[in-house]
Amino acid sequence: MTGRLFPAALSLKSVSMMALWRGVWRFLRVKPLLHRHMSVCCSSSYRAVVFDMFGVLIPSPLPKATEWEDENGVPRGTIGQAIRAAGNNNSWKKYMRGELGPEEFVEAFSQECSQIAGFKVHIGSFHSALTSDSMSQPVTVMMDAVQCARAEGFKTAILSNNFLLPGGKSYLPMDTSLFDVIVESCRVGLSKPDLRIYQLCTERLGVSPHEVVFLDDLSFNVEAAVQLGMHGITVRDPELAVKELEQVLKMPLSGYRPGLNWQLPTNQLTQYLKKATQLPLTDHIIMQRLSQGDLTDSTYLLSCGQHRFVLKKKPSTEALQKECRLLKALKEAKVPVPSVIAQHEMPSNVLGSPFYLTFYCPGRVFNDHSIPGEDTHGKRHVYKAMIKTLCQIHRVDLKTTGLENRRDPGDFMETQVKKWAQQFKANKIQPIPAMDRLIDWLLLHLPKHQRTTLLHGNFSLNNLVFDSETLDVKAVLGWSLSTVGDPVVDLASCCMPHFLPPTASTQQAFTGKKFALMGIPSAKEIFELYCKEMGLEYIPNWQFYMAFCFFRQAAILQTNYKTSCKGTTYPSEIEDIANLAWDFATKEGFRIFNALPGAASF
């Protein structure tokens, strides 16, 4: 095999493309083709999220203090210095602990500020500013995260250094029904960073500190939480903090939909588990929904003492039977997949919908394609194991396993192009000329010779569970899009991250120059590994498959944008992806194709 089969990265024509690639990379790392999803083997061990109020759920008072100081001729930093002065015995801390009423606080704090400023200062109007309309506006991204976390089964709490208003009410300008527990310093006589108030919050939540994620805008408050055993996140930018929280909880926390009800009937489920597993399950079931999307096709992690299972609901008995039949056939063919324990079809008196049960498969799931934490040998082993497993899937005997009937009639790639073209047109927001050109181009350049194998449909690193010690593949997840068709689609899909520029993510450096240093095979090497393992000389029409994958990506993002209440990708970015796919097909693609030995021109 000669010639340069793959470019290190597609050339980008403008800085605006960089933002686009960040979105694509995030999509590749954490999402399957149609729904947000979290692998069942990277579930979070946390049960509760605790939020500070000021600076997290509502604006911080510090900018308001600076604004007030400027307006009233008070030296900047006076209020902040007064808050920090005298440790826990200043009037601010006493006010937060409920030891001073509003009038007493204003008088005492005015004196402290006057001493710092060197002239008389009265902070009555600052006290009023703390409860002004601008301070009462919830931070939207945080409140969205609160609702999403609750919908996913997490307990939520407010742990705030707060104060009492005239009349004895505390200042809580938000929907308190969104929180299971609210601990306010002015009510309990303790204030952060006193460890006792954190402990009190965990006790009221009924969780251990190590099961809690705590968010606060002050680093010393976060440090105290970490000292107690919580996972701490310091909030400097709300959007970045929510992204960090998503990584910790391993699930998306935006786009909350009212009316979401993910809970399963515990009593019926407990009885079913005992009967299906024949295990002495005596502990209370702890459940966590692992996939976010249609509740009729959701995945749950069920923990009962030391036993853990995965329950997957399906929208119909037909869909249930199809997926279970596939998993059982793959198990017999020695492909590493979760073991199906039981399946429950309609009519169901357990959940009200069809579902099946598998054993939980512990191991490592790499959402980051650069495999952080592993040396070069380990990283290379992970990628080799990935390709070896892909070849296992593509070598499955369709006739022996009874999977022949999964084949769709007609030309597979033609059917795929038309399918995604139809989906794109059905969700069209605005004209995108590149997509129209791509549809025509792909249909005109369909590969003449297509192999037919079992196709995973969404094969990527983050759909694999690796053994923690050997780094071999223990299980392949995410089979909902599996079919019978051209296997090069799977190979092209798992090579897509290699064409992202270094600026696509601060955690990535996927450039051709650094592949060897990172220990990660280049796309060319992955291509060669696959061909060697499958006994193939080469695969022609490579540019067609890459163009198709980016075309499909644009169609998926368009659908997600259209169906999402908020949208995660702007229409302009979708158009940019389509343009890049077209550029790959007509320019970069032709160059790659012509470099292949024995390649024929179109």
Side-chain angles (χ1 to χ4, degrees):
M1 193 179 303
T2 60
R4 188 181 179 194
L5 297 176
F6 301 94
L10 292 176
S11 60
L12 301 182
K13 298 180 180 179
S14 67
V15 176
S16 64
M17 290 295 189
M18 302 305 181
L20 154 70
W21 281 113
R22 293 187 185 97
V24 177
W25 180 243
R26 286 194 296 270
F27 183 89
L28 285 170
R29 288 174 59 196
V30 300
K31 298 179 183 177
L33 293 180
L34 292 177
H35 299 294
R36 285 176 169 172
H37 172 270
M38 185 191 72
S39 162
V40 298
C41 293
C42 56
S43 60
S44 167
S45 60
Y46 299 102
R47 296 175 56 197
V49 185
V50 178
F51 299 84
D52 178 30
M53 185 171 71
F54 289 104
V56 178
L57 298 175
I58 62 174
S60 167
L62 298 180
K64 179 63 68 174
T66 301
E67 178 185 328
W68 182 87
E69 289 167 341
D70 291 344
E71 291 176 351
N72 290 273
V74 176
R76 281 193 174 191
T78 297
I79 291 176
Q81 189 175 342
I83 290 173
R84 294 187 296 271
N88 288 324
N89 294 319
N90 62 40
S91 57
W92 179 273
K93 288 294 180 66
K94 290 180 179 179
Y95 187 38
M96 293 297 114
R97 293 195 298 266
E99 298 170 12
L100 296 177
E103 293 182 358
E104 295 173 304
F105 164 71
V106 169
E107 181 179 352
F109 197 63
S110 294
Q111 292 177 1
E112 292 170 355
C113 288
S114 298
Q115 292 175 358
I116 294 170
F119 56 85
K120 188 173 182 179
V121 175
H122 191 273
I123 58 92
S125 58
F126 169 67
H127 183 262
S128 299
L130 288 177
T131 58
S132 63
D133 290 343
S134 61
M135 288 295 296
S136 303
Q137 297 299 317
V139 178
T140 304
V141 66
M142 279 292 175
M143 296 307 297
D144 198 20
V146 170
Q147 295 180 90
C148 287
R150 288 180 64 82
E152 295 298 335
F154 288 92
K155 294 183 177 181
T156 55
I158 293 176
L159 176 55
S160 176
N161 285 354
N162 201 11
F163 53 87
L164 295 174
L165 300 171
K169 289 186 177 181
S170 59
Y171 181 61
L172 287 169
M174 62 192 63
D175 183 359
T176 56
S177 67
L178 297 177
F179 301 91
D180 299 285
V181 169
I182 297 176
V183 178
E184 301 172 275
S185 59
C186 59
R187 298 290 189 190
V188 299
L190 299 168
S191 64
K192 297 176 294 185
D194 189 323
L195 294 182
R196 292 175 295 174
I197 195 170
Y198 298 87
Q199 188 68 51
L200 178 62
C201 185
T202 60
E203 290 173 357
R204 291 184 178 181
L205 281 169
V207 298
S208 301
H210 70 271
E211 296 176 309
V212 174
V213 182
F214 175 72
L215 294 89
D216 199 297
D217 64 322
L218 300 178
S219 58
F220 51 83
N221 287 341
V222 174
E223 289 168 4
V226 172
Q227 182 180 343
L228 193 64
M230 299 180 183
H231 182 98
I233 296 176
T234 303
V235 180
R236 294 185 175 87
D237 179 290
E239 290 189 2
L240 293 179
V242 168
K243 289 178 182 178
E244 184 175 347
L245 181 60
E246 288 180 330
Q247 293 176 354
V248 173
L249 299 183
K250 299 182 175 68
M251 62 181 58
L253 294 171
S254 62
Y256 172 74
R257 300 189 309 279
L260 185 63
N261 182 14
W262 66 276
Q263 294 285 354
L264 301 179
T266 306
N267 292 336
Q268 296 96 307
L269 192 56
T270 301
Q271 296 304 316
Y272 180 81
L273 278 177
K274 289 180 179 179
K275 183 177 180 180
T277 64
Q278 296 296 306
L279 293 171
L281 305 176
T282 57
D283 295 320
H284 176 70
I285 291 180
I286 299 174
M287 69 181 73
Q288 181 180 346
R289 193 160 74 93
L290 303 180
S291 62
Q292 182 167 317
D294 187 349
L295 291 177
T296 63
D297 195 7
S298 298
T299 305
Y300 300 80
L301 174 64
L302 308 178
S303 301
C304 190
Q306 296 181 342
H307 303 287
R308 288 189 289 179
F309 312 95
V310 174
L311 182 149
K312 188 162 186 180
K313 294 173 68 176
K314 301 302 294 181
S316 66
T317 296
E318 181 182 1
L320 171 77
Q321 293 173 341
K322 182 179 179 181
E323 193 157 321
C324 287
R325 191 183 305 119
L326 171 65
L327 291 175
K328 291 175 181 177
L330 290 171
K331 199 72 175 178
E332 291 181 5
K334 308 301 182 184
V335 175
V337 292
S339 299
V340 177
I341 303 171
Q343 61 189 75
H344 197 85
E345 302 175 4
M346 291 295 284
S348 172
N349 57 357
V350 181
L351 301 184
S353 62
F355 67 91
Y356 68 88
L357 199 66
T358 69
F359 285 112
Y360 172 80
C361 184
R364 299 178 66 184
V365 175
F366 299 107
N367 288 315
D368 188 332
H369 288 244
S370 66
I371 322 293
E374 286 295 329
D375 58 20
T376 55
H377 175 76
K379 292 178 180 181
R380 191 164 188 85
H381 185 90
V382 165
Y383 274 85
K384 284 185 175 181
M386 176 181 73
I387 295 304
K388 182 178 179 180
T389 302
L390 180 61
C391 292
Q392 274 186 276
I393 295 170
H394 292 171
R395 281 198 295 260
V396 168
D397 189 311
L398 299 176
K399 187 174 182 180
T400 303
T401 55
L403 297 174
E404 280 184 308
N405 59 356
R406 298 177 74 89
R407 185 200 310 262
D408 292 326
D411 183 287
F412 174 76
M413 290 311 306
E414 180 180 6
T415 302
Q416 286 290 300
V417 173
K418 289 180 177 179
K419 169 189 172 181
W420 292 108
Q422 182 180 6
Q423 180 163 312
F424 175 80
K425 291 175 181 178
N427 294 282
K428 203 167 189 177
I429 301 170
Q430 62 188 34
I432 300 181
M435 287 297 281
D436 296 328
R437 293 196 301 269
L438 275 166
I439 293 169
D440 293 338
W441 186 90
L442 290 168
L443 289 174
L444 284 172
H445 296 87
L446 294 168
K448 294 180 180 179
H449 303 288
Q450 299 177 35
R451 293 164 53 232
T452 300
T453 70
L454 179 65
L455 192 68
H456 180 275
N458 186 25
F459 193 81
S460 62
L461 200 63
N462 63 341
N463 263 331
L464 303 177
V465 182
F466 290 85
D467 187 281
S468 299
E469 299 296 329
T470 66
L471 293 180
D472 292 328
V473 176
K474 289 183 65 177
V476 184
L477 311 175
W479 289 93
S480 59
L481 295 177
S482 176
T483 185
V484 170
D486 193 330
V488 188
V489 174
D490 275 345
L491 183 59
S493 293
C494 68
C495 285
M496 286 178 71
H498 288 70
F499 294 94
L500 299 176
T503 50
S505 171
T506 56
Q507 298 179 339
Q508 305 296 326
F510 266 25
T511 62
K513 296 179 181 178
K514 296 185 179 180
F515 280 137
L517 295 177
M518 296 170 68
I520 295 173
S522 65
K524 176 179 181 292
E525 289 177 292
I526 287 179
F527 178 89
E528 291 171 341
L529 285 170
Y530 179 86
C531 286
K532 182 179 180 180
E533 185 76 22
M534 295 297 292
L536 303 172
E537 184 179 354
Y538 68 92
I539 297 176
N541 294 54
W542 180 257
Q543 86 291 350
F544 172 88
Y545 295 98
M546 291 305 302
F548 167 75
C549 286
F550 283 110
F551 162 75
R552 181 179 62 179
Q553 195 90 328
I556 291 165
L557 291 175
Q558 174 96 319
T559 302
N560 287 348
Y561 179 82
K562 184 71 176 289
T563 58
S564 170
C565 60
K566 292 178 65 177
T568 56
T569 307
Y570 292 107
S572 60
E573 293 180 349
I574 299 169
E575 185 172 6
D576 287 339
I577 292 175
N579 287 330
L580 285 169
W582 176 249
D583 188 60
F584 198 107
T586 60
K587 298 176 184 177
E588 195 67 36
F590 279 121
R591 190 184 66 77
I592 295 169
F593 179 75
N594 291 332
L596 289 169
S601 59
F602 289 122

